[in-house]
Amino acid sequence: MKKNPAKKTRELEELDRIAKMLVRRDLELAEIKEKREKEIAEIDKISKMLVRRDFELIEKREELEERIRELEKTREKEQVFRIREKAKTRDIETKLKELEESRTALMNMLEDIEESKKALVNILGDVEEARGKAEEEKNKTLAVITNFSDGLLVFDKEGKLSLINPQAEDFFKVRGKEIIDKSIIELGTFPTIKPVVTLVGKEIKGIFRKEIQIKENLVLEVSTIPIMREEEKMGTLVILHDITREKMIERMKTEFVSLSAHQLRTPLSAIKWTLRMLLDGDLGPILKEQREFIEKTYKSNERMINLINDLLDVTRIEEGKYLYKPILTDFEPICQFVINSYREEVERRKLKIEFKKPEKKLPRVKVDVEKIRLAIQNLLENAIRYTKSGGEISVSLRDLKKEIEFSVRDTGVGIPKDQQARVFTKFFRAANVIRMETEGSGLGLFITKNIVEAHGGRIWFESEEGKGTTFYFTLPVKEEFTEFLKGF
């Protein structure tokens, strides 16, 4: 049986449609496969990415864990730090309080400083004014120094000459600029200055005064005075006073006194022996009334002779010719001899005298016996003369190792305080003793002082008016005196 073409056609069309549908289906399946493959590739890619991400996350987690551990440590450190910070904060607060107090004190100080500043400004004004006055005074002082009649040399504390005035330049015949800043040793190389350098020494002495002859017609009195600021020595002032005229007048006076004394001594001696002959009856008997008058005349003549002898002693002292025969001897017998010679006078005046001898024998001294005896006699005679009846006199000797000390203590009238500075000057007699004893030349203590000093000793006294006086003097023992004595 034959098929129907129409039906066949429909079948073919159906098959064709099915084929096309299958093709489309295959295409769609291919597309789906391709898409699936892409999706698988994408998923694979994402999977790989996720794996990598997982690794990264693991690493991150490890990092985070490490970070957490570090943070834990940091947190612990921060806790310690906070504790420390709290302590520091407390310290800081304490310090802030202290700073606040200090700031307050500082503000007060600043106020004080401000006030001080104002005061300082005022002081500076005063200082400027004072500086002007000081400058004016300085100019006046320089004018005085320049025109001063005495020569002046000023040495600084290093012993270098810092100032010389025109008068000193004239004395030494030098120019100031030639010798300024030179030491005392360097000044010794100048012939005219050398005598002064020799006198004051390489290290200038403190308070010092001596005379020196620079040349035939120039005698200077050299005085040195330390320049002090509080207790520090800043230098030395040397004053050169021209005493040429005074020395010439003094020499003329000494010569006149010596000549007059010698001229008076001869007739007074003749009068003395004549009066003595009359009193002894060598020229015949005399009446009692005549004897009284002759005895008064004899005593007056004796006083004149004693005064003449004192004047001659003074002239010898001034001429530097007073010690004649110094010998090495014991001092105690000399004292004993003088004391014994006044025993009768002491008894007559109803006084008590005591001689305090040292326990051990004194070292020997080199003295002019006659002169040292006169010194002791003058001191003892004053003690006897100015001590009232019933008073006491004590003579003492002491060994001071390098010196022997002699002292005479009395309970007499004493020396007024306002007159004590003049005790050892020529012709001085205290007012209270003049009223008590009109006789006396006022030369005894002057002579005694010069005798002691000529032997290299020292003399001084202690006295209170109405209570008595003690005179002391010392003599160097042989070892200390040998070199000194070569100058006589």
Side-chain angles (χ1 to χ4, degrees):
M1 171 179 91
K2 287 185 184 183
K3 293 184 177 182
N4 189 356
K7 185 177 181 182
K8 187 175 183 181
T9 301
R10 282 193 299 274
E11 288 176 352
L12 286 170
E13 284 177 357
E14 184 66 26
L15 287 169
D16 184 50
R17 188 183 65 76
I18 290 168
K20 285 180 181 179
M21 186 181 69
L22 289 169
V23 170
R24 283 197 299 275
R25 184 69 175 170
D26 288 339
L27 287 171
E28 286 176 0
L29 287 171
E31 286 177 2
I32 288 167
K33 184 181 180 182
E34 184 180 355
K35 188 176 179 181
R36 183 68 178 269
E37 287 175 353
K38 286 181 179 178
E39 285 177 353
I40 289 168
E42 187 67 28
I43 288 168
D44 187 52
K45 184 178 178 182
I46 288 170
S47 178
K48 289 179 180 178
M49 186 181 69
L50 287 171
V51 170
R52 285 196 303 272
R53 185 69 174 167
D54 287 339
F55 281 116
E56 288 177 358
L57 286 172
I58 289 168
E59 289 177 355
K60 289 287 184 183
R61 189 182 69 180
E62 290 176 352
E63 288 178 3
L64 284 169
E65 289 176 351
E66 182 66 28
R67 183 67 177 163
I68 287 167
R69 285 193 294 273
E70 289 178 357
L71 286 171
E72 284 294 326
K73 291 179 181 178
T74 304
R75 188 171 64 81
E76 290 175 359
K77 289 181 180 178
E78 284 180 351
Q79 287 177 348
V80 174
F81 178 75
R82 285 193 193 98
I83 292 168
R84 290 178 178 173
E85 284 299 311
K86 284 180 181 178
K88 286 183 180 178
T89 302
R90 286 195 297 271
D91 292 342
I92 288 169
E93 287 174 354
T94 304
K95 288 181 179 178
L96 283 172
K97 287 180 182 178
E98 291 175 356
L99 285 171
E100 186 62 27
E101 291 174 358
S102 299
R103 191 180 73 82
T104 305
L106 186 61
M107 291 299 294
N108 294 333
M109 192 181 295
L110 285 171
E111 290 177 3
D112 293 340
I113 289 172
E114 189 64 29
E115 292 178 3
S116 299
K117 181 181 174 184
K118 291 177 183 177
L120 187 60
V121 170
N122 294 332
I123 290 170
L124 286 172
D126 295 339
V127 167
E128 188 62 28
E129 184 181 351
R131 190 185 66 79
K133 290 181 179 178
E135 190 69 28
E136 184 181 348
E137 289 299 320
K138 179 184 174 183
N139 293 333
K140 287 180 181 178
T141 302
L142 286 174
V144 170
I145 289 171
T146 302
N147 297 290
F148 203 58
S149 59
D150 288 344
L152 298 177
L153 302 173
V154 179
F155 292 88
D156 60 24
K157 56 184 175 183
E158 280 80 29
K160 293 185 177 181
L161 183 68
S162 58
L163 183 146
I164 179 172
N165 72 339
Q167 188 60 46
E169 291 179 352
D170 184 56
F171 285 154
F172 299 129
K173 303 302 178 186
V174 294
R175 300 176 66 183
K177 62 182 180 180
E178 295 175 355
I179 59 174
I180 289 292
D181 289 330
K182 292 190 180 294
S183 68
I184 188 74
I185 296 172
E186 291 173 320
L187 292 175
T189 60
F190 291 80
T192 53
I193 308 177
K194 187 176 180 180
V196 174
V197 173
T198 304
L199 182 67
V200 301
K202 293 179 182 178
E203 292 184 5
I204 303 174
K205 300 168 186 174
I207 298 174
F208 173 83
R209 176 175 292 180
K210 276 198 175 181
E211 298 171 4
I212 186 171
Q213 184 160 354
I214 301 297
K215 50 188 177 181
E216 187 178 352
N217 58 345
L218 179 61
V219 180
L220 298 179
E221 182 184 68
V222 181
S223 303
T224 63
I225 304 169
I227 303 170
M228 306 296 291
R229 181 191 294 167
E230 295 181 354
E231 294 183 359
E232 183 184 2
K233 184 179 178 181
M234 303 302 296
T236 307
L237 172 65
V238 178
I239 303 172
L240 309 168
H241 179 58
D242 185 357
I243 56 169
T244 308
R245 178 177 172 78
E246 288 91 329
K247 294 304 289 183
M248 181 182 69
I249 293 170
E250 187 178 327
R251 187 171 60 252
M252 291 171 64
K253 181 189 70 176
T254 301
E255 289 173 354
F256 171 76
V257 170
S258 179
L259 179 63
S260 300
H262 278 290
Q263 292 298 319
L264 287 170
R265 196 174 189 179
T266 302
L268 286 171
S269 295
I271 293 169
K272 173 182 177 178
W273 293 116
T274 302
L275 293 172
R276 185 76 263 169
M277 290 172 69
L278 287 170
L279 290 170
D280 291 343
D282 294 342
L283 301 178
I286 56 174
L287 300 175
K288 183 179 179 182
E289 187 179 353
Q290 292 173 329
R291 178 174 291 278
E292 289 175 359
F293 279 108
I294 294 172
E295 283 178 350
K296 288 180 182 178
T297 306
Y298 182 83
K299 288 178 180 178
S300 298
N301 191 72
E302 278 292 293
R303 287 198 295 271
M304 285 292 293
I305 291 172
N306 290 333
L307 175 61
I308 294 300
N309 289 334
D310 286 346
L311 289 172
L312 287 172
D313 284 338
V314 170
T315 58
R316 292 190 193 103
I317 288 168
E318 291 175 344
E319 290 171 357
K321 301 174 181 177
Y322 200 50
L323 296 186
Y324 290 107
K325 297 176 282 186
I327 60 170
L328 189 63
T329 185
D330 291 322
F331 189 60
E332 186 182 323
I334 298 174
C335 299
Q336 189 68 66
F337 175 85
V338 177
I339 293 169
N340 290 340
S341 66
Y342 280 92
R343 290 286 182 190
E344 290 184 8
E345 181 73 9
V346 168
E347 290 174 4
R348 186 177 65 81
R349 289 177 176 263
K350 298 179 181 179
L351 301 174
K352 294 179 182 179
I353 189 166
E354 180 185 12
F355 183 24
K356 296 180 180 178
K357 301 177 183 180
E359 294 179 0
K360 295 181 181 179
K361 185 178 180 181
L362 294 173
R364 295 198 296 174
V365 290
K366 202 163 189 178
V367 294
D368 183 322
V369 175
E370 182 183 342
K371 297 300 184 294
I372 208 69
R373 194 181 285 168
L374 177 60
I376 298 169
Q377 178 182 316
N378 285 339
L379 296 179
L380 188 58
E381 191 172 305
N382 283 347
I384 294 169
R385 183 179 294 177
Y386 304 122
T387 301
K388 295 178 181 179
S389 295
E392 297 178 359
I393 298 169
S394 176
V395 180
S396 300
L397 285 177
R398 282 202 309 158
D399 184 3
L400 303 180
K401 292 184 179 179
K402 293 185 178 181
E403 295 176 315
I404 289 174
E405 182 187 88
F406 171 87
S407 65
V408 177
R409 181 182 62 81
D410 65 57
T411 57
V413 296
I415 304 168
K417 191 171 182 180
D418 61 341
Q419 299 178 37
Q420 290 182 4
R422 299 171 54 206
V423 164
F424 294 112
T425 57
K426 282 186 286 188
F427 305 110
F428 169 76
R429 298 187 73 214
N432 57 343
V433 301
I434 291 175
R435 291 192 298 269
M436 180 179 179
E437 183 84 36
T438 56
E439 296 178 11
S441 63
L443 293 172
L445 290 177
F446 171 79
I447 293 169
T448 300
K449 178 177 183 292
N450 280 275
I451 290 172
V452 171
E453 291 180 351
H455 284 83
R458 301 172 294 120
I459 185 168
W460 69 98
F461 69 93
E462 296 169 357
S463 184
E464 187 175 349
E465 190 173 6
K467 292 187 177 181
T469 304
T470 304
F471 275 91
Y472 304 86
F473 72 76
T474 62
L475 294 174
V477 297
K478 178 190 172 186
E479 292 77 13
E480 298 292 321
F481 188 57
T482 303
E483 292 300 319
F484 178 83
L485 202 63
K486 291 179 181 178
F488 292 89

